[in-house]
Every structure is written in structure tokens, then in C-alpha cells.
Amino acid sequence: MPRKAQTPNKFPAAPYRILITDDDPVVLKALHQTFRYDNYQIVSATRAEDALEQLKRSRFNVLISDYQMPGMNGMDLLRQAKDIQPDLVRVLLTVQSDIGAVMGAISEGIAFRFAIKPWKDEDLRAIVALSIEQYEKGKADLPETTKKAGGEIAALSKLMVTNRSQLAVMLNKHNLLTMDQVQELNRLQVSRKEPLIKVLLEQNWIGENEIRNLLRRELQIEEVSLAEYQVDPAVASLVPMSFCERQLVVPLRLEGKRFTLAVADPLDLGLIDDLRFVSGLNIHTVVSDIISIQAKINEVYRPDQVMDFRDLETLLSRIDPYEGIEIVIDDTEDQSLEELLIGDEPPAIRLVNAIILEAIRLGASDVHVQPRTKNVVVRYRIDGVLMDKINIPPPLLQSIVSRIKIMSELDISERRRPQDGRITVRTPMRVVDLRISTLPTINGEKVVMRILDRNSRIHSLEGLRFSQPDLAKVLNFVDKPQGIILATGPTGSGKTTTLYALLQHNASPAKNYVTIEDPVEYYMDMAGQVLIREKIGLTFPVVLRSILRQDPDVILLGEIRDFETAEVAFHAALTGHVVFSTLHTNSAVATLSRLFDLGLKPFVVATALEGIIAQRLVRQICPECREPDPVASALLPRLGPIFLEKEVTAYTGRGCQHCGGNGYKGRLGVYEVLAPDEEMRHLIASGASILDLTRVAQRIGTSSLLEDALVKVNQGLTSVEEVLRVLGPQV
């Protein structure tokens, strides 16, 4: 009898490796339990930085990360993880309030999916399993799909533009076009071989916004903001640039066989059918306006081209991603939606939305709407420097101011007195807080908006660019079990950023963290954060006294403004609490004088004070276009003997696309760190003069702001001109 052929041994596939990151050990344990019956190899990390090290050392298939973590949040972790292991399946865990920001991460391609805490085990297991299955299938199919479909679409791009759009017919049915106009459009399209919508808009018979409103109302077609999308180069290669430009389409994403494109005319059925036929893909269309599509085509296919958004007409004609903007009302007073919308005019709404959107896109910290004699200019503060960006006709000023006042619940009838308010805006990408200030001037009301991004990353102490001696001092006094640590400097010098870096350093679930701020500038999940509301009597001293009954270990106090606040803060520091706070002073030693001026007793200051960090922010030279540059001889004498007596190696940024031609990209701090020793404490308690305290500070190795700036100039991080601009002449 013939022997049966032996089948080869089939070894089980290696288990998928999952890296779970969460700062809460209880959550990590629960996640381990969720996957205990699956064939997964689980590795955990309690810090985002530890997770990145794991990813650099070994291969993983799935990364599950909490969104809110001290230091680096989950979105930043997934963004860096994508660079380290691009084929990693990335899943975010979040609470209900953060879904808006997480959906932005999914739109950007940072995350595959998300799960809401508290999760159901079976749901989370299904999310991970489906993500792995879909990704593995897409990864296997994408090269073949792009090769085949890309070739077919390239052949289609050589054909004439179709004339099967039903847009003109639809407009005629709604009495927006006459039959004669429809026939003229068809004639022009056939002769010019251009999309019908492009020919239609050139005739000025109807506006694009009116067309989009009709499509949205009648067909319920999804309208998108293209700025929210990051297009994979492999997906972009499916459609030639020439085809996109001629047909006014742009590819967005490919999920299995579902190919999503943004189109200007969703009723061009001939185009959609042809794409579906030649590519073999299921075409899913979303709508955007022509200018946004053209901008996205340039971004995807011409990445080196920089788009200029300063033209007012361009801003007003783009798709408005904040149309119907969601304004979150913080106050508890009841107010109907109808009351909020009184006086709104569509041009003003679109213009204000465009101003806010452009500020967020450019990374501005402040927006100035400033009336001048002949025009109104919108100015953005970018990296600490104001720049004129948009010129607005004066007749629009009052509509813009009224719109901003309505959004921030200010009195639109009051134009003679300054007013302050705040707006919270929720978008698909992020949640942004705006502090509003109005000021009557001779040319009309000026409005300044301070932008605070809730999703801003909390920096690590190492990322603040302290010098090694200063970092050692900071690490020493931040580990003290009690006492007060002050960050000082003018408004906008990065004091709050420094305090949060101190707060999250060695942050532990074993401690109770509480912050008191006006407004809350960073969001930290493990801290109880209190927003000051002076209108209802919720002031710094009142909240601080209440917090002391909440069993805090670490307190972050936004600002010491008066004697009452200072007294309670220093009392808390003397009774076993760590307190972080800010003051507006010019140097570390000058802070001592300011504390005495507030009325604090010298022995209280000497006992409770653990450290002072005086700081400024200077612009950082763009690393992409940095080059050596000889120092102008006239500059060094203005910076005093420190720059004259020591060797200076200067650099400059020549300007490139990365920095927008400015030569600078981002900012960094220069610091003066004072850690009092016993001799200085004795002098403080005995009421010594500032001159004596300055001598002791120098003797114990306290470097001045100017000395730290010189180090950063020689390192090529900033320029001599920038030091002079921020610190001023020293003679």
C-alpha cells in the first residue's frame, strides 16, 4: 500500500506584539487583563518617553496609548511612533471630552482608531483585531492597487473632460439658472473642455458659496476642510497632478477598495463613473471649494511651494471649516442661541473665522485687529514678533468687532470702555481658548485675541534648554518636599511653560496636584485645574485658601498679584506644600525686592523660597538654513562687557521654506537660575540691600540672562540681534 504523502509542519505565526502606554498602573493592569485570552505579546510603559525607547529597540505591531499623560501626551507619542515604525497600528484611549482632538489625529493619519474610557473589553479587543486585519490587508494591497489604478487613471487623464455634470440642471430646477444659461454653459464646456463648475463660476451668474449651500441642503453631501487632511504619497500617486488640476479633484485616502476624493462638483457623474470603471475602486466623494482644492493640490504635488494667504479675497472665498463654529459657553448664566446670533452678518462671520483659522495655522500667539486711519490691519504675533497679515476695508470693522463681542459674550452696545472676555472654540483638530480684550481708540475699537491651545504639549525640563549648571540647580530644588519656586519675567516670556515642566517632572499618582490659573494654558489630566472667575468672586486668594483644605501636595498658582495672594502662597510653602508661581520682575534678585514691596516679612521669604527662575524668550535660528555670520561691530558694545570681553561665534538664518523666509523658527528660553544658599537666606532674613544680595548671587555661581544668552549665541541657537532685541542695550 503506498505511503501517504506527508504534509509539511505548520508552525503557528509569531504572536502580534502590543505596546501599551498609560501613566496609571491600574489602567495598565486592566489593559493586560483585556487581552489575556488573545495570542498577543504585551509590553507596557508608564511614560511616553519609555514607550519611544521600546519602539527604537524592538518591533511592535500595535501601540495603544492614553491621550492625557504627564509630559508628552498620547497624540505626540503616536506622531513620533509613526516616524520610528511607520507600519505600526496606533490606537488612542481617551475620555469623552477629548474626542474632538482625537478625531483630528485620525484625520491626520496619526491614529488608526480610538476607544473611550472606560472601555468594554470586547469592544477594545475588536478594535485592535480589526485594525490589524485592515492594516495588513491594506499594506499588502496598496502597492499593487496604486500601480494598477494609477496607470489606469493616468490613461484617463489624457481624455477630454466629461460633460455629464447634473449641476446646471439642478440649479435650473431651483430657478437659479435659466434654460438659456444652461445651454450656454454646455456650449462653453464642450468648446473649452473644462469642468462645468469652473465655466459656471467664471460667468458670475451664481456664487460658489450659494452652490455649496444648495448641495449641502438638498443632497446632504459631506463637506470637508482640506487643511485637516494629510495625504499619503502612495495615495497621491494614484492620480496624476495634471488630472487633479484639470478636473478640480484631489485624492485624500484609500481604505481597502474605498477611494476618497475631494471634488468641487459632486454632480459630475461622468467623472465619478469613469474613475470607478478604470481604477476598479469604490469612489467616495466629499465636497470642498475650488481654492481649497487648488491649495491642497499644491501642498500634495508641489510641497516646496509656499502659499500666500494674505489676500483678503482669498481668505473670504476659501471653504470655511469653522462655519457653524462651536462656541463653548463657560459661564453658568442661561443665554439662548438666538441671543448669541443677534447682529451676525455672514461676511463678518466668515472673516472672523478666517482670521482665527489663519492664526492657528501660522502658530500665532496673539491676534491684533487694529484700526488705522485708512484701513484696518490684522496683525499676528508669531514667535514673539508682530507681523501685518491682512488689510481690511474700514466699513467692515464694526461688524468684525460686534461678531467677536457676541462670541465672547461682551456688550456690543458699549464702545466707550475697554472690555475683557473669553471664547472657547472646538474644532475637529483641537480645542482653542481665546482671551479677548477690546480697547476704544480714536480710529475705532481695537481687539486683541490671545490664543491658548489646550492640546499644547507640556515640555520636559530637559527640553527647555537650560545650561547644565542651571539644569542641575533646577533638578535639585524641584525635588524639595516643600517650599516655593518662582518663575519671573514679563508677559509672554514662557513662565507658565516652565512651571508646567516643573510640575510634571517626576509626576506621580501618589501626589495630589492642583493648579489655579486665569486662564488654564495647559491641560494636565492628573491635576485638578481651577479657572479663576473674578466676576463671581472666585479670586486667587479665595481659591488658594479653599485648596489648602483639599489635601494638596503640589500647587501651581498662576500669578502672585497682591499681598493677600503672596501671604497665602508663602504660608502654604511653609506648611509642607510645594508651590510653583510667577511674578513680573526683570531678574532673579529683583524678585526678592518685589516680594518685600508686596509686604511679605523677610524671614518668611528667606525660609520658604527654594528657587527663582528669571527668563526671556528669544527666537531660534532656523536649523535648516543656519550659517556662520560675522558679528556687526556696532552690536557688541551695546551688549556690554560680557559680549565684548568674551569670544562670540555668531550665526544667522538666510531664510528658507522651512522658516517661511524669516531665518527663525520657534523660540527658546534664556535663563537666570537663583538657588539661595544659607548665607543668602541669612542676608534676606536680615533685610540686606539688593546690591549685597547680587554680590552673593554672583559668588554662588548664578549666571545672568546675558551670560546664558551668550552661550546660546555661540551654540548657534540664536543671534546677537535677537539678544539685543529681547534683553535690550546693556550700557
Side-chain angles (χ1 to χ4, degrees), residues 52-127:
L52 290 175
E53 289 300 319
Q54 292 273 10
L55 290 170
K56 291 174 183 176
R57 288 198 300 266
S58 57
R59 193 77 178 167
F60 288 90
N61 303 100
V62 181
L63 170 60
I64 302 174
S65 174
D66 185 24
Y67 175 63
Q68 290 285 0
M69 294 188 293
M72 185 186 302
N73 65 31
M75 195 180 300
D76 290 331
L77 168 60
L78 265 59
R79 185 179 286 111
Q80 294 190 35
K82 181 181 178 182
D83 295 334
I84 298 171
Q85 295 188 22
D87 57 348
L88 186 69
V89 174
R90 300 174 294 277
V91 180
L92 267 177
L93 286 178
T94 183
V95 294
Q96 188 74 30
S97 61
D98 292 325
I99 287 180
V102 173
M103 289 304 296
I106 292 175
S107 296
E108 287 186 67
I110 297 171
F112 276 57
R113 294 174 183 268
F114 71 92
I116 300 175
K117 290 182 176 180
W119 66 87
K120 292 183 178 179
D121 285 0
E122 58 271 22
D123 291 346
L124 186 57
R125 292 170 62 198
I127 286 172

Side-chain angles (χ1 to χ4, degrees), residues 603-616:
F603 75 87
V604 173
V605 176
T607 306
L609 185 64
E610 292 295 341
I612 303 173
I613 304 172
Q615 64 183 79
R616 302 289 189 278

Side-chain angles (χ1 to χ4, degrees), residues 316-533:
L316 287 176
S317 59
R318 292 171 60 211
I319 182 173
D320 181 9
Y322 291 178
E323 193 167 356
I325 190 169
E326 183 177 357
I327 305 166
V328 182
I329 306 301
D330 288 334
D331 291 340
T332 55
E333 300 175 4
D334 292 332
Q335 191 166 15
S336 68
L337 181 62
E338 288 75 18
E339 290 179 276
L340 288 175
L341 296 178
I342 290 175
D344 286 353
E345 298 178 8
I349 294 174
R350 292 201 308 274
L351 183 52
V352 170
N353 293 346
I355 289 170
I356 295 173
L357 171 66
E358 185 67 356
I360 295 172
R361 187 188 74 84
L362 294 172
S365 60
D366 300 87
V367 180
H368 294 236
V369 180
Q370 183 167 342
R372 292 176 177 167
T373 305
K374 295 183 179 180
N375 65 349
V376 178
V377 63
V378 177
R379 314 175 75 199
Y380 294 138
R381 188 176 295 278
I382 302 170
D383 289 339
V385 178
L386 273 173
M387 301 178 183
D388 292 0
K389 287 293 182 180
I390 308 170
N391 287 316
I392 300 173
L396 284 174
L397 173 64
Q398 196 54 53
S399 298
I400 293 171
V401 173
S402 296
R403 170 61 181 165
I404 294 173
K405 284 184 176 180
I406 289 169
M407 293 170 71
S408 52
E409 299 185 280
L410 300 179
D411 185 356
I412 61 174
S413 65
E414 179 57 72
R415 303 177 185 175
R416 299 166 299 172
R417 293 185 300 177
Q419 296 186 69
D420 295 316
R422 59 167 58 93
I423 310 171
T424 300
V425 173
R426 182 177 291 120
T427 76
M429 289 285 288
R430 61 190 74 185
V431 178
V432 177
D433 290 328
L434 306 175
R435 281 194 301 181
I436 310 299
S437 173
T438 68
L439 180 70
T441 70
I442 59 173
N443 294 318
E445 284 187 279
K446 178 183 178 183
V447 180
V448 175
M449 295 183 278
R450 183 77 183 274
I451 300 175
L452 303 168
D453 189 347
R454 290 192 181 186
N455 302 117
S456 296
R457 179 175 61 88
I458 299 176
H459 293 267
S460 66
L461 280 179
E462 292 75 11
L464 293 182
R465 300 290 186 92
F466 285 104
S467 66
Q468 285 302 320
D470 284 346
L471 180 60
K473 295 178 189 175
V474 172
L475 291 173
N476 184 52
F477 59 59
V478 81
D479 288 335
K480 296 290 181 70
Q482 64 183 47
I484 188 166
I485 299 165
L486 299 173
T488 72
T491 301
S493 59
K495 300 185 295 296
T496 303
T497 299
T498 299
L499 290 187
Y500 266 96
L502 297 173
L503 185 67
Q504 67 88 34
H505 181 72
N506 291 336
S508 166
K511 292 183 179 180
N512 180 19
Y513 299 86
V514 184
T515 76
I516 314 169
E517 301 171 79
D518 181 21
V520 175
E521 295 191 28
Y522 291 91
Y523 282 72
M524 188 172 177
D525 196 43
M526 69 187 308
Q529 297 180 283
V530 182
L531 177 65
I532 293 299
R533 297 172 187 263

Side-chain angles (χ1 to χ4, degrees), residues 440-712:
T441 70
I442 59 173
N443 294 318
E445 284 187 279
K446 178 183 178 183
V447 180
V448 175
M449 295 183 278
R450 183 77 183 274
I451 300 175
L452 303 168
D453 189 347
R454 290 192 181 186
N455 302 117
S456 296
R457 179 175 61 88
I458 299 176
H459 293 267
S460 66
L461 280 179
E462 292 75 11
L464 293 182
R465 300 290 186 92
F466 285 104
S467 66
Q468 285 302 320
D470 284 346
L471 180 60
K473 295 178 189 175
V474 172
L475 291 173
N476 184 52
F477 59 59
V478 81
D479 288 335
K480 296 290 181 70
Q482 64 183 47
I484 188 166
I485 299 165
L486 299 173
T488 72
T491 301
S493 59
K495 300 185 295 296
T496 303
T497 299
T498 299
L499 290 187
Y500 266 96
L502 297 173
L503 185 67
Q504 67 88 34
H505 181 72
N506 291 336
S508 166
K511 292 183 179 180
N512 180 19
Y513 299 86
V514 184
T515 76
I516 314 169
E517 301 171 79
D518 181 21
V520 175
E521 295 191 28
Y522 291 91
Y523 282 72
M524 188 172 177
D525 196 43
M526 69 187 308
Q529 297 180 283
V530 182
L531 177 65
I532 293 299
R533 297 172 187 263
E534 293 190 351
K535 290 182 181 179
I536 61 173
L538 202 65
T539 61
F540 278 108
V542 170
V543 176
L544 186 53
R545 286 194 177 92
S546 299
I547 280 176
L548 292 178
R549 295 189 288 273
Q550 290 279 318
D551 185 31
D553 295 295
V554 182
I555 301 170
L556 189 152
L557 181 62
E559 183 182 349
I560 294 178
R561 298 177 178 175
D562 48 42
F563 169 71
E564 191 177 6
T565 308
E567 184 180 40
V568 180
F570 274 77
H571 173 74
L574 288 171
T575 54
H577 305 90
V578 176
V579 180
F580 301 113
S581 191
T582 71
L583 272 176
H584 291 97
T585 61
N586 291 329
S587 66
V589 176
T591 304
L592 299 170
S593 178
R594 172 68 177 145
L595 293 172
F596 298 152
D597 290 341
L598 285 173
L600 290 174
K601 295 180 173 59
F603 75 87
V604 173
V605 176
T607 306
L609 185 64
E610 292 295 341
I612 303 173
I613 304 172
Q615 64 183 79
R616 302 289 189 278
L617 289 179
V618 296
R619 287 184 293 172
Q620 183 172 329
I621 297 174
C622 174
E624 301 296 325
C625 60
R626 182 177 61 193
E627 58 187 17
D629 182 53
V631 184
S633 58
L635 291 180
L636 295 182
R638 302 191 67 194
L639 288 170
I642 291 176
F643 273 72
L644 278 174
E645 296 170 1
K646 296 185 178 180
E647 183 178 351
V648 178
T649 304
Y651 295 83
T652 189
R654 65 177 179 275
C656 65
Q657 179 196 343
H658 183 69
C659 61
N662 294 324
Y664 295 98
K665 183 70 174 177
R667 291 191 289 176
L668 73 153
V670 292
Y671 304 96
E672 176 183 349
V673 180
L674 174 62
D677 64 356
E678 291 304 317
E679 180 184 355
M680 176 167 279
R681 292 184 190 278
H682 175 73
L683 290 175
I684 294 171
S686 59
S689 68
I690 294 298
L691 186 59
D692 291 336
L693 293 172
T694 302
R695 291 196 187 100
V696 175
Q698 292 173 345
R699 186 185 59 76
I700 62 177
T702 304
S703 299
S704 67
L705 290 167
L706 203 62
E707 289 172 322
D708 190 44
L710 175 59
V711 172
K712 290 179 168 66

Side-chain angles (χ1 to χ4, degrees), residues 24 30 54 248 257 275 300 308 333 353 414 513 599 721:
D24 189 340
Q54 292 273 10
L248 296 175
K257 290 289 185 179
L275 280 170
V300 172
D308 185 3
E333 300 175 4
N353 293 346
E414 179 57 72
Y513 299 86
E721 292 83 0

